[in-house]
Amino acid sequence: MRPTALNPLFAEVTTLAGVGPKLDKLYRRLLGREDGARLLDLLFHLPTGAVDRRARPKLAEVVPGQVATVTVHVDRHRPPPPGRSRAPYLIYASDDTGDLVLTYFAARKDFIDKILPVGETRIVSGTTALYDGMLQMVHPDRVVAESELDKLPLVEPVYPLTEGLSLYQVRKAVDLTVARLPQLPEWQDDAFRKREGFPPFADAIKALHRPAEPSDLAPEGPAWSRLAYDELLAGQLALMLVRANLRRPRGRVSAGDGSLRAKITAALPYRLTGSQARAISEIATDLEKPERMLRLLQGDVGSGKTVVALLAAAAVIEAGRQAAIMAPTEILARQHLKTVAPLAALVGLRVAILTGREKGRERADMLARLAAGEIDLLIGTHALFQEGVDFHDLALAVVDEQHRFGVHQRLALAQKGEAVDVLVMTATPIPRTLVLTYFGDMDMSELREKPAGRQPIDTRTVPLDRLDEVVDAVGRALSDGRQVYWVCPLVEESETSDLAAAGDRFADLAQHFGDRVGLVHGRMKGSEKDAAMAAFASGDTRLLVATTVIEVGVDVPEATVMVIEHAERFGLAQLHQLRGRVGRGAGKSTCLLLYKTPLGETAKARLAVMRETEDGFRIAEEDLRLRGEGDVLGTRQSGLPGFKVARLEVHSKFLQTARDDAALTLARDPGLTSERGEALRTLLYLFERDEAIRLLRAG
């Protein structure tokens, strides 16, 4: 049960005065809450800056274009002429150093007379401008009498907005929310809080929404840092509770005698790299322990993760049990099958695939064999954890491209057997701070070397106005017997975008190179995609125009040229993934990044990093620096919990402390039943990590 003290914050925004159904809709959009925006969402909707009204210059000292707060005498009004309702209502005002025109559009005369009576002195605040050589202020933000100066907020927060919501409305709603802030227990460690100079939770919220100085709003300041630490601590606690819950059911010792692994290793056409051998050894050690395994395998592009997954599967199959590999897309699942099947056939492993495409009798037969234990390894998409897919004895679940699946999907697959060990893989190296944040519940193995024979890739940037030269160069590569990828960002031209569409580019290149050109994109049927990929892999088509569906797992060693159109629109990790589709064979490989000028600073920095390095781990850190955590992990799209308050570029220094704090707390108080434990439960609900509390109860 949520602590009753928090109930006021979980009320909908419609409980605030002046927020009806129309505004509710706008708040849902602003706060990203389709199912209803709550006061809690407003509380964590933090300002991006502040308007400072503390300076009180004379009119002669006002700098046009800036916010000014001035004391003026109201000299005269000039309403719009009769019949010209669109003309402005002008109020002429002055002080002893100069004049100011206050301009209102569509204003009611009675309203103007009331707030700016002729002959009176008023304090007005707003943005100034020069118009026809005259200082003016259009629609002042604030107008108060001298006796009401205390009603003029001297520093006012500025919030992100959405179309239809004014800054005034959001400020008012947030202010009403802050007024409802309940009394909450202190969950931070006292000594730590005092050492860091953090204010109590309520004071931190008030400092950010009712700042006394613009500097109160600095993310590195004590108020923001306090809330960021709260969020990081909630995240680490939740991860550790998930981990404890996964560990609590005793695992089953699943590693066999190594015979199958030895056969597979002997059948490989190359030697395992040092980091592959190390990862396999770490996994085997985990499988031999009585606790359940939860391990993250990070590998750079082309570092040979599928082989590690196969050898991990072989370890449990030796012990007479089953394994599953789950991939986010059908193309990737079939690519895994293509890598695994020849080796499996050599050593007598029974492998099958299950995606949305397997239907009817074929699917029913395969599921019957799976339930009877006649399939050792099942490879597939999220179809694997659906109803009706029953394993005889699932021991190991391998989840590929983890960031595209939620924790729920990972657990759903793990629940297909008894005490299932879980290996999670990603080909997008994740910066260390993000590993701690999102995958702190896992042990980690890294594949840093490329398998022998991988060639360096010559990466160049080319402006799009040299497209004809690029097409000629592609023609020369095709004449030399090479194969080429050409990646476009969109499937078809949209009215709002000038990006090259894959369909249009395909038509254009087919005019040059005829039936040697193929096309693959996400809107094609699975069978059409497969046919297009197969034609390219066999060399029937030599130039493949594609969208980012080829980003992971596609392996055509003969392809040595990668052209990425509108490279400035892609994230670094995605560019690195796409580039990794070439450089897989013996030939020298080239990657051409086509960009549209002029380039923004971030895009320029991204393309420079791509030219400088092929190290995916360095690229991941740069990507985090340039884009922020939500985009790097895909949390914006995947439903992974992005941060409301913490900014890793500023607050990552607190991550290790939060992790240590959570570990120590749970070691002393595993059920969170002490006074601080109860306060930490409140924190978990506040940052909506309460799934972890359900795990506490389940335990």
Side-chain angles (χ1 to χ4, degrees), residues 189-205:
D189 174 72
D190 252 4
F192 168 73
R193 190 172 70 77
K194 284 173 183 153
R195 191 182 80 221
E196 292 295 334
F198 289 167
F201 177 78
D203 293 0
I205 288 284

Side-chain angles (χ1 to χ4, degrees), residues 360-681:
R361 167 60 61 81
E362 178 197 4
R363 183 185 177 98
D365 286 352
M366 197 265 291
L367 291 177
R369 284 168 42 231
L370 184 70
E374 292 162 16
I375 291 172
D376 301 313
L377 172 61
L378 183 62
I379 296 171
T381 56
H382 53 276
L384 293 188
F385 60 75
Q386 288 170 350
E387 285 282 300
V389 178
D390 298 313
F391 290 81
H392 177 65
D393 186 6
L394 179 65
L396 173 69
V398 180
V399 183
D400 195 15
E401 290 308 311
Q402 143 74 24
H403 60 284
R404 303 209 190 172
F405 293 107
V407 175
H408 297 296
Q409 292 162 307
R410 194 170 87 199
L411 294 175
L413 182 56
Q415 281 156 5
K416 289 280 181 188
E418 184 196 333
V420 174
D421 288 304
V422 178
L423 176 67
V424 163
M425 306 198 296
T426 175
T428 311
I430 302 166
R432 179 172 159 67
T433 48
L434 295 190
V435 169
L436 278 178
T437 311
Y438 289 95
F439 306 100
D441 57 334
M442 302 186 193
D443 296 309
M444 188 162 71
S445 299
E446 288 183 352
L447 303 181
R448 285 194 173 245
E449 307 118 289
K450 301 254 169 87
R454 278 299 185 112
Q455 303 296 320
I457 300 165
D458 178 13
T459 303
R460 302 176 194 186
T461 49
V462 184
L464 263 167
D465 50 23
R466 290 174 56 194
L467 188 66
D468 291 349
E469 293 172 47
V470 173
V471 173
D472 291 345
V474 164
R476 289 194 296 277
L478 294 176
S479 302
D480 292 346
R482 298 162 77 187
Q483 282 180 270
V484 180
Y485 290 105
W486 189 301
V487 176
C488 304
L490 282 183
V491 177
E492 58 198 22
E493 203 66 70
S494 78
E495 299 199 2
T496 56
S497 171
D498 59 352
L499 295 182
D504 291 353
R505 182 59 66 217
F506 167 72
D508 185 44
L509 291 169
Q511 283 187 335
H512 284 272
F513 307 118
D515 57 10
R516 289 185 292 174
V517 186
L519 172 67
V520 63
H521 60 69
R523 293 193 197 169
M524 292 164 93
K525 289 186 183 139
S527 53
E528 294 172 335
K529 275 190 238 175
D530 278 356
M533 292 306 303
F536 187 62
S538 67
D540 290 347
T541 52
R542 312 294 299 171
L543 168 56
L544 184 64
V545 178
T547 56
T548 55
V549 292
I550 63 151
E551 182 186 335
V552 284
V554 176
D555 191 9
V556 180
E558 287 70 35
T560 57
V561 179
M562 167 64 73
V563 179
I564 303 175
E565 200 166 337
H566 280 290
E568 78 280 2
R569 305 270 178 139
F570 291 95
L572 256 177
Q574 204 172 27
L575 287 172
H576 181 57
Q577 283 293 336
L578 289 166
R579 174 170 65 182
R581 299 308 103 210
V582 296
R584 290 169 168 255
K588 188 173 175 303
S589 287
T590 307
C591 175
L592 301 178
L593 304 173
L594 308 189
Y595 63 88
K596 185 177 181 182
T597 52
L599 274 182
E601 285 309 306
T602 304
K604 209 176 275 178
R606 273 206 291 268
L607 298 185
V609 171
M610 287 296 293
R611 277 200 311 272
E612 285 163 25
T613 183
E614 284 184 58
D615 177 353
F617 288 87
R618 187 190 146 199
I619 284 172
E621 295 291 348
E622 289 293 325
D623 204 18
L624 174 64
R625 194 174 63 74
L626 293 170
R627 285 202 300 163
E629 48 85 29
D631 293 306
V632 168
L633 272 184
T635 57
R636 305 271 184 266
Q637 289 77 36
S638 71
L640 269 173
F643 287 121
K644 298 173 180 178
V645 178
R647 296 196 178 161
L648 286 183
E649 64 276 17
V650 178
H651 303 121
S652 59
K653 62 184 178 189
F654 296 123
L655 250 174
Q656 192 61 50
T657 312
R659 187 178 169 81
D660 296 343
D661 190 356
L664 188 60
T665 301
L666 289 176
R668 289 175 179 163
D669 180 16
L672 294 184
T673 51
S674 66
E675 189 182 347
R676 186 179 179 216
E678 290 290 347
L680 285 165
R681 285 172 179 248

Side-chain angles (χ1 to χ4, degrees), residues 55-350:
R56 303 279 298 280
K58 289 287 194 180
L59 287 175
E61 299 161 348
V62 169
V63 179
Q66 295 186 354
V67 171
T69 303
V70 291
T71 304
V72 293
H73 181 267
V74 181
D75 300 330
R76 63 189 175 94
H77 288 195
R78 195 179 103 190
R84 291 192 50 206
S85 60
R86 302 181 90 163
Y89 194 125
L90 305 178
I91 297 98
Y92 292 88
S94 60
D95 69 6
D96 54 3
T97 70
D99 299 305
L100 173 70
V101 180
L102 304 171
T103 306
Y104 286 88
F105 290 92
R108 294 197 330 268
K109 186 174 187 316
D110 56 344
F111 168 73
I112 300 289
D113 285 340
K114 186 178 167 192
I115 64 163
L116 288 157
V118 173
E120 297 277 342
T121 298
R122 288 291 181 264
I123 297 166
V124 293
S125 186
T127 305
T128 56
L130 275 181
Y131 184 71
D132 276 351
M134 188 78 183
L135 188 67
Q136 74 162 358
M137 191 184 286
V138 179
H139 285 276
D141 301 330
R142 301 279 177 176
V143 178
V144 296
E146 284 184 291
S147 59
E148 297 177 312
L149 181 58
D150 59 334
K151 289 185 181 170
L152 178 71
L154 297 180
V155 178
E156 278 195 298
V158 176
Y159 294 94
L161 299 173
T162 189
E163 195 181 348
L165 268 180
S166 71
L167 187 53
Y168 171 75
Q169 287 168 316
V170 173
R171 272 189 196 139
K172 188 178 160 201
V174 170
D175 211 47
L176 290 169
T177 299
V178 172
R180 291 196 196 180
L181 199 58
Q183 189 70 40
L184 297 174
E186 179 55 78
W187 45 74
Q188 284 197 12
D189 174 72
D190 252 4
F192 168 73
R193 190 172 70 77
K194 284 173 183 153
R195 191 182 80 221
E196 292 295 334
F198 289 167
F201 177 78
D203 293 0
I205 288 284
K206 286 171 187 162
L208 291 169
H209 290 301
R210 297 172 178 169
E213 313 252 345
S215 61
D216 289 348
L217 297 177
E220 60 279 8
W224 200 309
S225 293
R226 148 84 212 214
L227 299 183
Y229 185 77
D230 286 342
E231 185 168 26
L232 296 174
L233 180 59
Q236 291 303 308
L237 259 179
L239 280 173
M240 286 184 185
L241 286 167
V242 168
R243 176 75 180 253
N245 196 63
L246 274 168
R247 284 288 160 100
R248 196 173 302 139
R250 288 186 71 74
R252 294 164 66 191
V253 176
S254 296
D257 58 7
S259 55
L260 191 53
R261 279 168 282 173
K263 282 184 192 167
I264 292 170
T265 309
L268 288 172
Y270 49 80
R271 284 185 59 187
L272 293 172
T273 65
S275 52
Q276 278 177 315
R278 197 162 44 251
I280 291 157
S281 158
E282 286 164 351
I283 292 163
T285 305
D286 283 354
L287 294 173
E288 285 161 7
K289 287 180 184 166
E291 298 90 17
R292 286 166 70 174
M293 171 172 81
L294 185 54
R295 183 170 284 278
L296 172 66
L297 176 65
Q298 286 207 74
D300 204 346
V301 176
S303 56
K305 287 179 304 301
T306 308
V307 168
V308 174
L310 174 61
L311 287 161
V316 300
I317 294 163
E318 288 163 5
R321 301 180 67 196
Q322 291 169 300
I325 298 178
M326 179 165 76
T329 65
E330 201 171 319
I331 282 187
L332 189 47
R334 292 187 186 279
Q335 185 64 50
H336 282 314
L337 182 69
K338 184 182 160 194
T339 306
V340 163
L343 290 165
L346 282 172
V347 301
L349 256 184
R350 299 167 298 182

